Amino acid sequence: MTNTRDHRRSRTHCKALAPHRISRAVRAEAHACGVSIVDATCPLVAGVHAEVRRLIRRGDTVVVIGGADHALAGALTGQAPRSIRWARTVSQVDALEIPDRDHAAYLVAPGLPVEEAAAVITALRARFPTARAQHPDGLCYSASDRAEALAGAARACDVLLVAGANDCADTTNVAERARAQRHAEVHTVTRVEDIQPHWLASAWCVGMTCARSAAPGIVAEAVTAISGLGPLSVAHREIDTHVVALDSPVRVGRQRPQPYNTMMAPGGLARETVAMNP
């Protein structure tokens, strides 16, 4: 999917918006050039854009909890550069400059585990007691589910394989999160041929989790390859947060995405293969 300004040079007349969307200025420029747009924006991201526009119309300065290098940053900040601030840590909250303390609002960037935003939210509410918060339905529980599933897999396995491109930031992030559990031996692989037999030699349980850049089909290929070491048992683990309105039993949260993280283990050397759907 395309998320750049190359529509001015490309001969292709149809472009897809990446999940984190592009700025309104780029979208308008694409329309002016006669480019047809297929919007693949994540519903939660679209909701954040709409919420930011609503808050800005109220005259609020909006603090987005997340890193300024977040994939969403360019498109979101492009809506109103003077009215949006980014904060990922408590120290960044302490350094915020907001013109009117009574017109502050905050929201959590999609993709950031909700639990990791807790300390920043506490600091924001201490500095700006009247700050408006986003509705809980707009929180990205997929990120929390993914982080929890990854942590559980890293604690359960002796070896954890992270499938993804070496130059992908998400691959690096997933590997770092897994290593932070201080249990599994973590390796990154781009293709199934990268898996080294000596990694699995003393493993009872081997896990595999996919970064967003993982090659299609690599999980099935890895299962096939590892099964050559002996009998293989596969267990599927899902973590799925449900958001339910208090006045209704109907689920109002996000839809369940297709699984893209998988963990595996060789039989003989390991008995359990875990498939995670964060």
Side-chain angles (χ1 to χ4, degrees):
M1 287 181 287
T2 301
N3 188 22
T4 66
R5 292 177 177 266
D6 65 355
H7 55 76
R8 292 174 295 184
R9 301 186 299 272
S10 174
R11 295 181 181 179
T12 303
H13 297 291
C14 180
K15 295 294 180 183
L17 302 188
H20 286 93
R21 187 165 282 197
I22 58 176
S23 69
R24 301 178 76 182
V26 173
R27 181 192 288 266
E29 186 177 353
H31 278 301
C33 293
V35 176
S36 298
I37 294 177
V38 177
D39 195 340
T41 304
C42 167
L44 285 176
V45 172
V48 166
H49 278 266
E51 181 72 359
V52 166
R53 290 194 296 271
R54 185 184 69 83
L55 293 169
I56 289 174
R57 285 196 298 268
R58 293 171 57 127
D60 291 343
T61 297
V62 182
V63 179
V64 183
I65 301 174
D69 58 347
H70 191 283
L72 180 65
L76 197 58
T77 303
Q79 294 195 53
R82 296 182 181 180
S83 299
I84 295 178
R85 309 287 189 272
W86 288 80
R88 182 67 178 83
T89 64
V90 172
S91 60
Q92 290 174 342
V93 171
D94 295 337
L96 285 174
E97 296 182 3
I98 294 181
D100 187 345
R101 295 174 59 87
D102 293 328
H103 284 83
Y106 64 88
L107 51 82
V108 181
L112 180 71
V114 176
E115 296 79 5
E116 295 184 11
V120 178
I121 291 173
T122 299
L124 280 168
R125 295 189 67 84
R127 278 204 66 191
F128 311 102
T130 61
R132 299 176 179 87
Q134 74 194 109
H135 193 283
D137 286 356
L139 294 171
C140 183
Y141 293 103
S142 292
S144 295
D145 292 347
R146 186 189 191 201
E148 186 176 348
L150 175 62
R155 292 192 297 266
C157 296
D158 302 305
V159 174
L160 183 65
L161 307 175
V162 179
N166 292 326
D167 59 351
C168 172
D170 189 55
T171 302
T172 302
N173 179 53
V174 171
E176 289 177 350
R177 286 178 178 274
R179 292 189 178 104
Q181 301 302 313
R182 299 183 180 278
H183 181 80
E185 181 181 324
V186 181
H187 301 280
T188 59
V189 296
T190 302
R191 53 181 186 166
V192 71
E193 289 81 5
D194 295 336
I195 301 174
Q196 301 299 311
H198 68 270
W199 295 347
L200 315 178
S202 59
W204 181 84
C205 179
V206 177
M208 186 169 192
T209 183
C210 293
R212 295 186 177 94
S213 60
I218 190 171
V219 171
E221 293 175 4
V223 170
T224 300
I226 294 175
S227 67
L229 299 174
L232 185 67
S233 177
V234 180
H236 297 273
R237 176 180 300 171
E238 293 188 17
I239 296 177
D240 186 7
T241 298
H242 291 250
V243 181
V244 180
L246 293 179
D247 59 348
S248 170
V250 178
R251 180 181 177 183
V252 296
R254 60 183 173 77
Q255 292 185 348
R256 185 70 190 154
Q258 292 298 313
Y260 59 92
N261 280 4
T262 303
M263 305 197 337
M264 301 176 298
L269 300 179
R271 269 186 48 191
E272 187 182 33
T273 298
V274 184
M276 295 192 311
N277 302 332

